[in-house]
């Protein structure tokens, strides 16, 4: 099954001229269409226009050019069938051994908010998917390339043997079916998002998603559960799915989930920060002048819970911070970069997982939660507040230092499971209460945590992810030592809670934004 003839027709022209030139140099006859043919001609690469090959000119503004028996017969004929090969020979159809096609840029076209329905429809590729699917179906005798990243491997095999190995052809075919499924899914998602007046809605009536397996896990949340980790086909920049493993044991299901919680929190800070997560909740968060100082402050919040935790830094991890972290047991360390001296030190801790993740402040457009028989989809909680967005509701105004800590505490509370109460002072958490059925219990737990860690929360600030429904929750955090409070407001008893704050002589600000995290 020597590659004697190739059809090349691509929208993404990256590397195609070099690939085609190499094929031509190996004696492969090249068929091409439209813009690709013009590019090859400009590059001095001999190619036959598909219309010359079929004897039928392109028509309908290029909508019909490769939809022809001389193309699809040449692709679909089974090389191991004498009847097929005799049939195409009788019809004067030459076999096509290699298909190199990628599709009209539909996703990029509809990403433009001003894209019209007409423009979207015109960017739905017809001939391309037909050729890709035909070649993938007949992978037994035809190689098909949809991704420019595969040019080098295909070319290497043709140079070595004159053909593409069966295992490679099958891998390429699978890639094609995933690609065309994603392409058709994007078309359906867009069209189903349009209302009766063709205005775009955020949630389509039919939703297609595609994820690519990154690894299988030894088990899931518990040893009797199986699991795998899939990344989004088009992952957001800087998400945890982009990690590179520098050392350590294989990541577990819980490692990945907790690493995501730590990474999303730490990358939200502009200042050098450290976040320690245990069981999906931050148990210590701090900002400081460098990673070492940030880690020390974060660790002091709750040393007991930090044991076996996930540590995330938003700056390069240096040797000093690595040595300090090395004094305690950690499951995972994450940073945008781990300096060579830090890597050298951590290398002795063979079971410690060390990850690098490129840092970006981009967020995913949507969050997904699987429920029995369905899927909940929502926009990401990416609301960022500044001082100007907050409303002081009490007679007492926060001090400048309190303003800074209130904004810090509010940012941390966003990543703590509801009901969330977070005490902070000097850019660090000093007590965290998470995941309780009542807000007052979260407040009590946060105070107990601080006491157990030997930290005073007198004069600290506190963030509540949702409003105080009664004054008892507010009284609890004030009794514990809070001097200023940040909360969403919105309760029918806001007036009662504000009056309680004034009575107790503290400052309280409302955000108008809630941060439930279930």
């Amino acid at each position: 099954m020597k590659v004697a003839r190739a059809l090349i027709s691509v929208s993404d022209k990256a590397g195609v001229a070099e690939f085609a030139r190499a094929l031509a140099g190996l004696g492969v006859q090249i068929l091409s269409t439209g813009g690709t043919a013009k590019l090859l001609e400009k590059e001095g690469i001999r190619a036959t226009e598909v219309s010359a090959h079929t004897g039928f000119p392109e028509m309908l503004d290029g909508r019909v050019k490769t939809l022809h028996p001389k193309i699809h017969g040449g692709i679909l004929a089974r090389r191991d069938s004498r009847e097929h090969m005799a049939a195409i020979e009788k019809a004067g159809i030459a076999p096509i051994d290699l298909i190199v096609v990628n599709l009209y840029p539909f996703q990029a076209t509809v990403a433009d908010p001003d894209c019209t329905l007409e423009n979207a429809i015109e960017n739905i590729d017809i001939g391309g998917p037909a050729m890709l699917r035909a070649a993938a179906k007949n992978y037994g005798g035809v190689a098909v390339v949809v991704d420019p990243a595969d040019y080098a491997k295909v070319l290497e095999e043709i140079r070595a043997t004159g053909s593409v190995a069966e295992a490679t052809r099958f891998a390429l075919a699978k890639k094609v079916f995933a690609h065309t499924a994603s392409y058709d899914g994007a078309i359906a998602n867009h069209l189903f998002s349009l209302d009766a007046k063709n205005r775009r809605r955020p949630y389509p009536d039919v939703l297609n998603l595609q994820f690519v397996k990154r690894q299988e896990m030894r088990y899931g949340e518990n040893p009797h559960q199986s699991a795998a980790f899939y990344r989004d086909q088009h992952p957001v920049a800087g998400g945890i799915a982009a990690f590179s493993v520098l050392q350590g044991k294989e990541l577990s299901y819980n490692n990945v989930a907790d690493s995501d919680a730590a990474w999303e929190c730490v990358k939200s800070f502009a200042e050098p920060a450290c976040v320690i997560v245990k069981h999906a909740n931050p148990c210590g968060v701090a900002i400081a002048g460098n990673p070492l100082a940030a880690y020390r402050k974060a660790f002091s919040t709750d040393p007991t819970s930090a044991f076996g935790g996930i540590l995330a830094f938003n700056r390069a991890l240096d040797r000093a911070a690595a040595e300090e972290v090395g004094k305690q047991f950690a499951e995972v360390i994450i940073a945008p970069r781990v300096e060579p001296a830090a890597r050298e030190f951590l290398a002795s801790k063979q079971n410690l997982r060390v990850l690098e993740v490129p840092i970006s402040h981009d967020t995913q457009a949507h969050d997904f939660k699987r429920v029995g028989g369905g899927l909940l989809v929502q926009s990401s909680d990416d609301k960022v507040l500044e001082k100007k967005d907050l409303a002081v509701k009490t007679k007492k105004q926060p001090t400048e230092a309190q303003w800074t800590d209130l904004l810090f505490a509010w940012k941390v509370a966003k990543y703590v499971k509801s009901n969330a109460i977070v005490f902070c002072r000097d850019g660090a958490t000093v007590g965290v209460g998470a995941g309780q059925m009542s807000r007052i219990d979260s407040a009590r737990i946060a105070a107990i945590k601080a006491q157990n860690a030997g930290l005073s929360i007198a004069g600290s600030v506190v963030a509540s992810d949702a409003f105080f429904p009664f004054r008892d929750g507010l009284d609890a955090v004030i009794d514990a030592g809070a001097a200023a409070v940040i909360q969403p407001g919105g309760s029918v008893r806001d007036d009662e809670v504000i009056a309680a704050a004034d009575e107790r002589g503290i400052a309280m600000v409302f955000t108008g934004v809630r941060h439930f995290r279930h």
Side-chain angles (χ1 to χ4, degrees):
M1 296 182 186
K2 302 294 184 184
V3 175
R5 189 171 293 101
L7 192 156
I8 305 176
S9 180
V10 295
S11 290
D12 179 359
K13 295 180 173 55
V16 74
E18 295 79 3
F19 184 53
R21 181 175 289 109
L23 290 175
L26 294 170
V28 177
Q29 179 190 354
I30 295 175
L31 310 177
S32 192
T33 66
T36 306
K38 290 183 174 63
L39 172 65
L40 299 183
E41 181 183 6
K42 181 181 176 181
E43 292 287 333
I45 302 165
R46 185 175 178 182
T48 302
E49 280 268 10
V50 162
S51 57
H53 178 73
T54 62
F56 196 92
E58 292 185 13
M59 62 183 297
L60 307 181
D61 298 321
R63 286 189 171 196
V64 177
K65 48 192 172 190
T66 58
L67 297 171
H68 191 281
K70 279 201 170 183
I71 300 300
H72 286 272
I75 298 171
L76 282 166
R78 289 185 55 172
R79 294 350 188 224
D80 61 350
S81 168
R82 291 183 179 180
E83 291 81 4
H84 281 207
M85 299 309 290
I88 63 170
E89 183 179 2
K90 182 177 179 180
I93 297 174
I96 302 175
D97 312 300
L98 174 64
I99 297 294
V100 183
V101 170
N102 50 60
L103 309 176
Y104 296 168
F106 181 85
Q107 291 98 321
T109 299
V110 299
D112 181 351
D114 296 323
C115 176
T116 64
L117 176 59
E118 180 183 8
N119 194 25
I121 295 297
E122 283 305 310
N123 276 276
I124 296 175
D125 204 323
I126 302 300
M131 287 190 291
L132 287 173
R133 288 172 61 82
K137 176 175 180 174
N138 200 29
Y139 76 89
V142 180
V144 56
V145 182
V146 72
D147 184 353
D150 292 318
Y151 290 167
K153 179 173 179 58
V154 168
L155 192 59
E156 178 185 359
E157 292 190 8
I158 295 173
R159 280 192 177 123
T161 65
S163 63
V164 180
E166 182 177 3
T168 303
R169 296 196 307 272
F170 187 45
L172 293 171
K174 289 189 288 187
K175 197 168 186 177
V176 161
F177 285 121
H179 183 79
T180 56
S182 174
Y183 190 78
D184 285 340
I187 294 168
N189 285 348
H190 179 71
L191 298 182
F192 273 111
S193 74
L194 303 178
D195 65 14
K197 295 184 178 180
N198 293 330
R199 293 172 301 196
R200 202 176 309 190
R201 300 169 297 168
Y203 301 100
D205 295 330
V206 175
L207 178 63
N208 291 274
L209 301 171
Q210 188 174 92
F211 296 86
V212 179
K213 187 169 72 176
R214 168 142 192 185
Q215 70 180 78
E216 290 194 13
M217 308 296 190
R218 286 178 296 154
Y219 54 85
E221 281 187 292
N222 301 291
H224 64 276
Q225 295 172 267
S226 61
F229 176 34
Y230 288 79
R231 65 168 178 81
D232 197 317
Q233 188 191 25
H234 304 290
V236 65
I240 195 65
F243 68 78
S244 299
V245 179
L246 301 187
Q247 71 169 58
K249 297 188 298 183
E250 181 183 356
L251 287 166
S252 72
Y253 180 99
N254 292 327
N255 288 156
V256 174
D258 287 348
S259 294
D260 178 62
W263 185 246
E264 289 300 310
C265 184
V266 81
K267 75 178 191 178
S268 70
F269 294 98
E271 309 89 341
C274 174
V275 174
I276 305 174
V277 162
K278 190 70 173 289
H279 295 302
N281 275 301
C283 60
V285 180
I287 54 175
N290 57 65
L292 173 60
Y295 169 71
R296 284 174 170 164
K297 290 169 69 176
F299 181 77
S300 69
T301 303
D302 189 353
T304 300
S305 296
F307 180 84
I310 309 293
L311 280 61
F313 296 87
N314 64 354
R315 295 291 193 278
L317 184 69
D318 56 22
R319 176 81 179 222
E323 289 182 353
E324 188 72 11
V325 169
K327 295 176 182 178
Q328 290 82 31
F329 169 61
E331 287 277 1
V332 182
I333 296 175
I334 314 164
R337 187 169 67 85
V338 180
E339 294 184 354
R343 290 186 66 172
E344 180 184 29
F345 172 78
L346 295 172
S348 63
K349 301 180 179 297
Q350 296 181 0
N351 291 333
L352 173 65
R353 303 150 176 99
V354 180
L355 312 181
E356 284 186 342
V357 181
I359 196 155
S360 165
H361 297 290
D362 293 347
T363 58
Q364 296 180 137
H366 295 95
D367 285 333
F368 303 95
K369 183 178 292 186
R370 194 77 166 91
V371 296
L375 185 73
L376 286 169
V377 182
Q378 65 173 348
S379 60
S380 292
D381 183 6
D382 57 3
K383 184 75 172 177
V384 177
L385 295 182
E386 300 177 12
K387 180 179 176 181
K388 64 181 176 59
D389 301 314
L390 307 179
V392 179
K393 293 296 183 177
T394 50
K395 296 173 184 176
K396 189 168 187 177
Q397 296 280 326
T399 66
E400 282 305 310
Q402 286 173 338
W403 273 118
T404 300
D405 278 339
L406 286 167
L407 286 166
F408 172 82
W410 183 247
K411 191 172 288 187
V412 175
K414 172 180 171 181
Y415 298 97
V416 178
K417 297 287 187 180
S418 301
N419 287 312
I421 294 289
V422 182
F423 288 89
C424 297
R425 184 176 51 240
D426 299 329
T429 50
V430 290
V432 179
Q436 298 306 302
M437 289 71 76
S438 91
R439 194 159 300 280
I440 192 168
D441 285 342
S442 288
R444 290 167 177 158
I445 288 170
I448 292 170
K449 287 279 191 182
Q451 183 180 11
N452 290 344
L455 299 174
S456 170
I457 52 179
S460 64
V461 308
V462 67
S464 174
D465 65 335
F467 61 65
F468 290 98
F470 304 97
R471 69 167 289 168
D472 58 356
L474 182 70
D475 284 327
V477 300
I478 298 172
D479 290 343
V485 173
I486 184 169
Q487 61 132 320
S491 168
V492 295
R493 293 184 176 84
D494 274 350
D495 289 344
E496 174 188 324
V497 175
I498 293 168
D502 283 332
E503 176 190 320
R504 302 293 300 271
I506 69 155
M508 184 165 63
V509 301
F510 281 12
T511 65
V513 175
R514 188 179 72 187
H515 276 321
F516 272 167
R517 187 177 182 86
H518 293 126

